[in-house]
Amino acid sequence: MSSLPHLIARATAAYYRQARELYPTETDFNDWLDTLDADNRRRYKQQGLDMTCLLPQFQLFCLERRGIYLREFMAARLTPDQLEYWEQEKAISDFKPSAPSSDLF
């Protein structure tokens, strides 16, 4: 039997595999760029659409733009307890402090 983190990783990978069938457009790319801060916008614009298509953040944007939502996908594949665990872990991984702690250096 698979561990819970392994099961969640497999479900997440299945979600993102759907992005292979998408054909992101320049409009998708430009709209996604508009969601980024200036530094990231400049960096990804320079990389271009083809390279950006490999980024999970862009894939998520494109999938959800087409009505394929990560939470709904996960809810259909996980038990309620597993989904709750995934949501808690996702909330922790999505947390981004406003400034790096000085004790990290």
Side-chain angles (χ1 to χ4, degrees), residues 9-66:
R10 285 185 21 224
T12 304
Y15 175 78
Y16 283 102
R17 270 195 304 275
Q18 297 174 102
R20 295 178 188 167
E21 299 171 14
L22 299 179
Y23 298 97
T25 65
E26 285 294 327
T27 300
D28 292 325
F29 181 58
N30 290 323
D31 289 350
W32 179 72
L33 289 174
D34 288 342
T35 70
L36 304 176
D37 61 70
D39 289 338
N40 282 319
R41 186 177 313 116
R42 195 172 17 263
R43 179 171 43 139
Y44 292 121
K45 189 171 189 171
Q46 189 175 47
Q47 287 182 2
L49 175 60
D50 290 339
M51 289 300 295
T52 304
C53 284
L54 303 173
L55 294 174
Q57 304 95 308
F58 183 62
Q59 293 170 352
L60 177 67
F61 178 85
C62 291
L63 285 162
E64 290 195 342
R65 185 171 222 191
R66 287 159 178 82

Side-chain angles (χ1 to χ4, degrees), residues 86-97:
W86 172 73
E87 288 178 325
Q88 289 172 355
E89 291 300 309
K90 185 176 176 329
I92 292 168
S93 67
D94 286 348
F95 174 72
K96 295 176 183 64

Side-chain angles (χ1 to χ4, degrees), residues 24 65 77-79 94:
R65 185 171 222 191
R77 284 155 181 80
L78 302 174
T79 67
D94 286 348

